[in-house]
Amino acid sequence: MLWSSGLTSASRRLSGRVFSISLTAAAMLSACAAGAEDFPSIAQNFPVTIAQLPPSAARPSTPAPAGEVPRPLPAVRQGAQAAEAGGNAAPAEAPGFPDLQRELADADVGGLRESLSSVPSIVGDGCNPGGAGSGGKVTVDRLVIFGENMTVSGPTLSGGPPAVIYEFPQDYRDIQSLPTAPPGVVPGAVPVGVIAGTPSFQVTGVPPGGANTIVGPSASYAPAVEADLKQTFVDRTGVDSGQVVYTPASSGALADGTDYDAFAYYNYVVDAASTTPGLNVGFVKLAENVSPLPRDRVFFNMSYFHNSFFSQDLRADINRFMPGFEKTFFDGFTSIEIRTPFAATLDSTQSYDASAGTGITSYRNVEWGNMSIIFKGLIKETKTSALTGGLMVQCPTAQAIRIKSVGLDQDIARGKDLVYVENQSVHAMPFAGFIWAPNDRFFTQTLLQIDCDTNGNPAYANVLLTDNIKQAGNYAGRLSYPTYMYLGLSTGYWIYKNNRSAGLTGISPIMEMHYNQSLTPYDVICQPGFQLGEDPGSVCLINGMTGVNLEWGARSTLTLAYVSPLGGGTDRWFDGEVRVLYNWRFGPQNRLTRVQF
């Protein structure tokens, strides 16, 4: 009895639901027939069905108010009329069925208004790899000028035979580590050149002695030192763009009876392509094919940078690619986006080969950049505008920077890491976005973002010339990226829009201006013979962009653009950029999903 009673109850519930669905369907059909003027798009997709309804299914017509012309129902297809008349006309066409996907795509389901739904993507200006301040200076050779049998006369130490240029073993990297014997009997000391003229140095203290006692060559002797020493360095390293740097903390004069022997240590310093992990791929900001509005999509960006700046003597063409996806939550009011950039760019490991005389070499490689996670949310919207905000977090996923010696020689280059910068920096980048679209054709939008390096990267310079560079004596400090402000403004107009097309549904030319301003100074860390980072001063990058958005169907958008820098000097980080962006939207489609930045 229990199972019989349950079955009877379930049958009644099912019958009731079927009856309710039948009534609902009948009511919708009646509404379509009697009120087609209120739903023109539905009437157009059901012309035969509505026209063939029996007279009993239609309600009596209501006269139009005075002064108002009634809107007629769509005409019945001629084929159907001929069939009813029994004529010999062509057979009637099959009844038309609605394109439900396009009907949903065109339906305003709440949230953003229709005018905002037509706003296309902000393209962005690329955030090119490299840039002023990204490099550094690294010692690739170290030599000693030795002058013997010299005498003191006031603040000058001079006399004796012409000074000899020596290459000392790494064990004798400064005057404090020298043995008491003259360099001629220092184990491993090798003469590599001579300075023309009589040696002459400015000194502090009488008599001179120990480190920091030699200020530098005197004015009359300095040109010969610069010329002869520079040529020796060039012959040894093959790099003619280096800088000869005197190191007083390593230099000094030692007494030799009644005379003095001078030891002046010089480093040969050259530019390094980059000392900031991830900059060889580029730090990607928010305004890179992104919407400040939450949405469901997958995307792929391609950027070609011509003559991207790395140092005064190094520019390179870079190809960067960035796949990613975004997923909405909480009824579309928030989303999470993930980006994974990589590039065919300069290798994060730079090499110095002293034996080959090639200097620092920056090879090409495919490098992963720093991954980004973006949290977005809608703050406020009106009929023609929307305000959004969120936080972008850049994670340290790029390779560490290493400048590695691969040569075999007696000086600093002996198969060791010269510079090592770990990638630990996390960037917190809050942002706000605003859209204004007074109609379904014209649009303008802006993004404001602040980029803050929260913790910097630990950096090591191999001052001690140890096999393992990560020693306490080689630790140089944390190298931080400056705080930046990014401001982008975009405007455009849909010159073609047809949401019912099965192919091309929209064309919109677009123009943008991007302003990137450093707010804090660049970090520079100096160690004996090393400089990590450079300070180009206040950096102001202004880049202009022109492009076109091509919308295909209800889900796809292809964007083609060209970016041109408007500044010069350190405010010009590349000579031009070509951008190709693709977006594919997934999930339920409506007008809201078409909104792109």
Side-chain angles (χ1 to χ4, degrees):
M1 294 298 293
L2 290 176
W3 65 268
S4 176
S5 175
L7 182 61
T8 301
S9 176
S11 175
R12 289 175 179 173
R13 288 196 301 269
L14 179 60
S15 299
R17 291 180 181 177
V18 171
F19 181 71
S20 298
I21 294 173
S22 300
L23 289 179
T24 302
M28 291 176 63
L29 186 61
S30 178
C32 289
E37 66 274 16
D38 297 327
F39 301 90
S41 64
I42 298 179
Q44 291 171 8
N45 283 300
F46 291 87
V48 176
T49 304
I50 294 174
Q52 292 179 350
L53 287 175
S56 59
R59 68 185 182 190
S61 60
T62 303
E68 180 178 331
V69 178
R71 297 172 62 184
L73 289 174
V76 179
R77 290 193 178 95
Q78 296 300 320
Q81 291 176 343
E84 290 179 0
N88 296 323
E93 297 178 6
F97 290 96
D99 185 345
L100 295 182
Q101 173 181 328
R102 200 167 301 284
E103 289 294 336
L104 288 175
D106 289 339
D108 191 348
V109 296
L112 294 181
R113 299 298 188 262
E114 181 176 353
S115 60
L116 296 183
S117 69
S118 296
V119 179
S121 65
I122 270 188
V123 179
D125 59 344
C127 283
N128 67 291
S134 66
K137 297 184 182 298
V138 177
T139 295
V140 296
D141 202 0
R142 183 178 297 178
L143 297 174
V144 182
I145 297 177
F146 170 69
E148 60 180 337
N149 301 327
M150 303 179 72
T151 58
V152 175
S153 177
T156 303
L157 180 66
S158 61
V164 178
I165 304 173
Y166 276 93
E167 176 190 299
F168 279 9
Q170 59 182 4
D171 293 338
Y172 307 118
R173 59 184 177 271
D174 51 39
I175 192 172
Q176 294 92 333
S177 60
L178 287 178
T180 56
V185 295
V186 170
V190 178
V192 295
V194 176
I195 305 295
T198 301
S200 179
F201 296 94
Q202 291 182 316
V203 295
T204 58
V206 179
N212 280 307
T213 56
I214 297 180
V215 177
S218 60
S220 60
Y221 191 54
V225 170
E226 178 69 23
D228 294 340
L229 197 56
K230 175 67 178 288
Q231 188 59 50
T232 303
F233 278 129
V234 172
D235 293 341
R236 288 166 54 84
T237 64
V239 182
D240 59 4
S241 59
Q243 182 181 3
V244 177
V245 178
Y246 173 63
T247 58
S250 303
S251 306
L254 299 176
D256 183 13
T258 58
D259 299 327
Y260 295 92
D261 294 335
F263 300 85
Y265 282 75
Y266 284 83
N267 293 331
Y268 194 51
V269 178
V270 299
D271 288 333
S274 178
T275 55
T276 302
L279 269 186
N280 57 339
V281 175
F283 289 169
V284 180
K285 62 183 181 182
L286 178 69
E288 300 297 321
N289 185 23
V290 67
S291 173
L293 299 168
R295 50 185 255 186
D296 296 302
R297 62 169 185 150
V298 293
F299 59 89
F300 189 85
N301 302 350
M302 190 282 289
S303 296
Y304 167 74
F305 298 93
H306 177 55
N307 275 346
S308 189
F309 179 92
F310 284 93
S311 69
Q312 295 295 333
D313 302 305
L314 178 60
R315 287 180 175 266
D317 292 345
I318 305 299
N319 290 282
R320 186 176 68 203
F321 310 91
M322 188 172 69
F325 71 92
E326 181 179 2
K327 184 69 182 73
T328 61
F329 299 92
F330 302 110
D331 294 329
F333 280 93
T334 63
S335 72
I336 295 179
E337 177 180 334
I338 295 180
R339 301 174 173 183
T340 55
F342 63 95
T345 181
L346 299 184
D347 200 318
S348 56
T349 298
Q350 303 161 64
S351 300
Y352 170 65
D353 190 347
S355 59
T358 56
I360 288 184
T361 304
S362 298
Y363 296 102
R364 307 279 303 197
N365 199 0
V366 176
E367 293 274 325
W368 287 102
N370 289 324
M371 183 182 76
S372 297
I373 303 175
I374 303 170
F375 305 90
K376 297 186 291 186
L378 180 64
I379 299 174
K380 182 177 177 58
E381 59 94 11
T382 67
K383 292 183 179 181
T384 59
S385 64
L387 176 65
T388 65
L391 177 67
M392 177 176 176
V393 179
Q394 182 177 275
C395 306
T397 56
Q399 294 290 323
I401 290 293
R402 172 181 277 118
I403 302 177
K404 188 176 183 64
S405 169
V406 296
L408 297 176
D409 208 331
Q410 296 190 58
D411 63 351
I412 192 173
R414 191 186 288 273
K416 295 176 171 52
D417 284 339
L418 305 180
V419 170
Y420 182 77
V421 184
E422 291 188 65
N423 190 11
Q424 295 184 2
S425 175
V426 176
H427 288 231
M429 307 165 71
F431 64 88
F434 181 77
I435 306 173
W436 179 60
N439 53 56
D440 60 356
R441 293 282 182 169
F442 176 78
F443 54 87
T444 185
Q445 49 196 336
T446 185
L447 279 172
L448 174 65
Q449 184 177 31
I450 302 297
D451 181 355
C452 302
D453 185 347
T454 62
N455 57 333
N457 298 307
Y460 298 84
N462 204 344
V463 178
L464 304 178
L465 301 178
T466 55
D467 291 332
N468 180 9
I469 192 174
K470 296 178 69 172
Q471 303 288 333
N474 292 328
Y475 180 68
R478 298 191 79 90
L479 191 64
S480 296
Y481 195 70
T483 299
Y484 259 88
M485 178 189 71
Y486 307 126
L487 178 64
L489 176 65
S490 173
T491 188
Y493 188 85
W494 287 102
I495 60 175
Y496 169 77
K497 194 70 172 171
N498 181 7
N499 290 336
R500 298 188 178 280
S501 170
L504 185 65
T505 55
I507 302 175
S508 67
I510 190 170
M511 298 182 65
E512 297 178 2
M513 191 69 68
H514 294 271
Y515 174 75
N516 310 290
Q517 176 68 56
S518 63
L519 303 180
T520 59
Y522 277 77
D523 260 7
V524 178
I525 300 177
C526 293
Q527 292 282 78
F530 296 88
Q531 176 183 308
L532 307 182
E534 297 177 294
D535 186 7
S538 178
V539 173
C540 177
L541 307 174
I542 301 177
N543 300 319
M545 190 285 302
T546 57
V548 61
N549 289 285
L550 306 174
E551 188 180 63
W552 191 268
R555 295 179 181 268
S556 299
T557 304
L558 178 67
T559 304
L560 309 174
Y562 183 79
V563 181
S564 179
L566 304 181
T570 57
D571 294 334
R572 185 184 183 92
W573 287 7
F574 59 97
D575 288 338
E577 177 196 1
V578 176
R579 310 208 72 196
V580 180
L581 317 176
Y582 177 74
N583 289 272
W584 183 78
R585 299 175 289 277
F586 63 89
Q589 293 299 293
N590 53 55
R591 282 177 176 158
L592 181 61
T593 64
R594 288 199 181 121
V595 181
Q596 300 178 81
F597 254 102

